[in-house]
Amino acid sequence: MNLEQKVSTIIFNEENMTKSASCLWVTCPIVIGAGPSGLAAAACLKRKGIPSLILERADCIASLWKLKTYDRLRLHLPKRFCELPFMPFPADFPTYPTRDQFLDYLESYKNHFGLDPVFNKTVVSAEFDHRHGVWRVVTTGQEQGQVEYVSQWLVVATGENADEVVPFIEGMGDFGGLILHTSSYRNGSSYGGKNVLVVGCGNSGMEVALDLANFNARTALVVHVLPHEMLGISTFGLFVWMLKWFPVRVVDRFLLLASRVVLGDTEKFGFRRPKIGPLELKSISGKTPVLDLGTIAKIKSGNIKVYPGIKRITYLGAEFVDGRKESYDAIILATGFKSNVPQWLKGAELFSEKDGMPREPFPKGWKGEDGLYAVGFTRRGLLGVCFDAQKVAEDIEVQWRGEAPKFMDLSTALSL
């Protein structure tokens, strides 16, 4: 029996319920999202003896990784920078674990901490009830219909990559071929001999273009490109070490100089460098610097062509901002993902309605008011997730231990 079933057994009263809606009083924190952020938050709470109710809209954990990523994906950072709290990767895993290895790790993590998410629960609204001092979380599901969960604590762990970003490009509706987002791309096996345009500005675009290189893929990118490793050392590990001793702008200058030495002058192949460095760009916009995994070599050899940007999509292909026109069989949008928090979280000052990210930058964005918390919105990957999850658990523990929760009786809860 999972946590939701235990709760419902305690508080359900059939005479006070309708077939279309029910109300569950949850005596522990509610965690929204069963990806790495939600699992980490729940595990940190569990370590302190605090249970949690994890609500997940998909039918599995880590749905982004399991359902919306391509086959060749690996962690872009060494595994020591991607471990969740209190459980390292297996020693026999490579430095850069594959997608399937990372999913195995997350499944083991869930089982190790005895986490039991409730699947197929899509949150349609979450709002703080000032009258009663509780969070009201309304979900829809495949079996129960609409259910309202009520708790003193709400941990938002849906992350920075909840929903696909599909930009409007003039002429998209006119294209005679296939247009898809990378969330629907698995591998290039079905694109053999076809002309494919990859539109994107990050690691996904570079990797998908590389995956399609033997099938005449063409890519349009405006990015910082950094070598995956420098002198046999992870580029990420190198700049983490450097940031301990030097300011961001100094490290940025070093990375740009080193990348030019290792990769050569990439601008002559069509890459336009932003005016600020990769770390500063990441801090300001959240855009991750691109780590080259072999795509640059394909570009230099002419197997992948680089274009400056799309002016419009045509029936046959695309017209670029420099006036060139090309024909394509398919267009793949490597345009990333975004937070979906503004769609369902109501009246909370912690998150910006503009981009669904915390208003306060790292390391302050993990805590809001009235028992609201955020995990996985730091723009610092899984390292940021670990920081958030542990801070959230520590803060809730103070309330959990120091002030015994004063729970409403059943009749009061059902009459809210």
Side-chain angles (χ1 to χ4, degrees):
M1 181 178 291
N2 63 32
L3 179 56
E4 186 198 39
Q5 291 171 329
K6 292 179 181 178
V7 172
S8 64
T9 300
I10 294 171
I11 74 166
F12 269 10
N13 183 330
E14 294 293 341
E15 296 179 359
N16 293 310
M17 291 168 49
T18 67
K19 293 182 179 180
S20 60
S22 57
C23 177
L24 303 183
W25 177 246
V26 182
T27 61
C28 62
I30 294 175
V31 178
I32 301 180
S37 299
L39 297 178
C44 288
L45 288 167
K46 192 75 173 287
R47 287 262 301 187
K48 295 181 178 297
I50 304 171
S52 62
L53 175 63
I54 308 172
L55 302 177
E56 168 56 47
R57 65 180 177 179
D59 61 359
C60 60
I61 65 170
S63 61
L64 174 67
W65 281 84
K66 187 172 184 178
L67 305 177
K68 298 183 177 184
T69 53
Y70 39 90
D71 295 343
R72 63 162 285 121
L73 181 63
R74 286 177 173 266
L75 293 180
H76 293 132
L77 307 180
K79 61 183 180 182
R80 70 179 184 277
F81 296 113
C82 301
E83 295 173 348
L84 297 186
F86 311 114
M87 183 174 159
F89 279 94
D92 60 348
F93 272 29
T95 302
Y96 300 96
T98 66
R99 165 185 174 270
D100 289 342
Q101 287 173 326
F102 185 58
L103 285 170
D104 288 343
Y105 167 74
L106 293 178
E107 186 68 29
S108 297
Y109 191 86
K110 176 183 75 72
N111 295 335
H112 177 76
F113 288 101
L115 307 179
D116 193 12
V118 180
F119 297 115
N120 298 307
K121 292 290 184 181
T122 299
V123 175
V124 294
S125 71
E127 188 169 8
F128 189 70
D129 182 338
H130 290 275
R131 178 184 175 189
H132 297 97
V134 294
W135 284 94
R136 293 178 172 276
V137 180
V138 179
T139 69
T140 58
Q142 296 178 348
E143 297 179 0
Q144 287 182 282
Q146 191 173 91
V147 177
E148 181 181 61
Y149 298 88
V150 180
S151 175
Q152 293 180 245
W153 305 278
L154 179 63
V155 181
V156 179
T158 48
E160 304 166 13
N161 302 311
D163 288 344
E164 296 89 339
V165 173
V166 179
F168 170 78
I169 304 175
E170 183 182 347
M172 287 181 71
D174 299 329
F175 184 57
L178 173 68
I179 298 180
L180 73 157
H181 190 272
T182 50
S183 60
S184 299
Y185 177 88
R186 295 297 170 263
N187 57 64
S189 61
S190 62
Y191 298 92
K194 297 180 180 180
N195 292 329
V196 183
L197 176 65
V198 180
V199 181
C201 58
N203 285 295
S204 294
M206 294 285 280
E207 283 206 63
V208 169
L210 179 61
D211 200 43
L212 291 164
N214 293 328
F215 311 108
N216 299 317
R218 300 171 182 177
T219 184
L221 301 169
V222 182
V223 292
H224 277 300
V225 183
L226 301 177
H228 200 217
E229 294 185 345
M230 296 181 183
L231 302 175
I233 303 173
S234 156
T235 300
F236 182 79
L238 180 61
F239 72 63
V240 166
W241 176 82
M242 290 186 68
L243 285 173
K244 295 179 181 179
W245 306 97
F246 304 102
V248 168
R249 291 191 178 183
V250 172
V251 179
D252 264 341
R253 290 193 188 100
F254 171 81
L255 289 176
L256 292 176
L257 176 62
S259 66
R260 186 180 181 93
V261 171
V262 175
L263 299 176
D265 181 10
T266 56
E267 290 195 24
K268 66 182 180 181
F269 299 108
F271 291 97
R272 297 197 307 270
R273 291 186 181 276
K275 295 181 180 179
I276 60 177
L279 300 185
E280 188 176 358
L281 182 66
K282 171 69 173 175
S283 176
I284 293 173
S285 68
K287 294 181 180 178
T288 302
V290 172
L291 298 173
D292 177 51
L293 300 177
T295 311
I296 294 296
K298 293 289 186 180
I299 293 171
K300 290 179 178 179
S301 68
N303 290 328
I304 296 175
K305 296 181 180 179
V306 177
Y307 292 87
I310 292 181
K311 182 177 181 180
R312 66 173 61 89
I313 294 175
T314 65
Y315 178 76
L316 294 177
E319 178 182 351
F320 298 94
V321 294
D322 61 1
R324 286 182 288 176
K325 297 180 180 180
E326 299 288 350
S327 297
Y328 298 99
D329 300 298
I331 298 175
I332 299 176
L333 301 175
T335 45
F337 298 82
K338 63 182 179 180
S339 165
N340 68 2
V341 173
Q343 298 176 24
W344 51 267
L345 184 62
K346 311 300 181 183
E349 288 298 317
L350 177 60
F351 289 90
S352 166
E353 294 181 1
K354 181 179 179 180
D355 61 4
M357 299 292 289
R359 297 180 191 276
E360 291 289 334
F362 179 85
K364 299 180 180 179
W366 61 272
K367 182 178 180 180
E369 297 180 346
D370 304 317
L372 177 65
Y373 300 92
V375 176
F377 296 87
T378 65
R379 305 189 196 275
R380 283 164 170 74
L382 293 171
L383 279 178
V385 167
C386 291
F387 175 88
D388 283 349
Q390 294 181 74
K391 295 294 288 186
V392 168
E394 290 168 2
D395 197 75
I396 291 178
E397 182 186 27
V398 173
Q399 304 168 54
W400 184 271
R401 307 294 182 203
E403 299 179 13
K406 299 178 181 179
F407 301 120
M408 291 176 270
D409 62 37
L410 177 60
S411 60
T412 302
L414 290 174
S415 66
L416 290 177

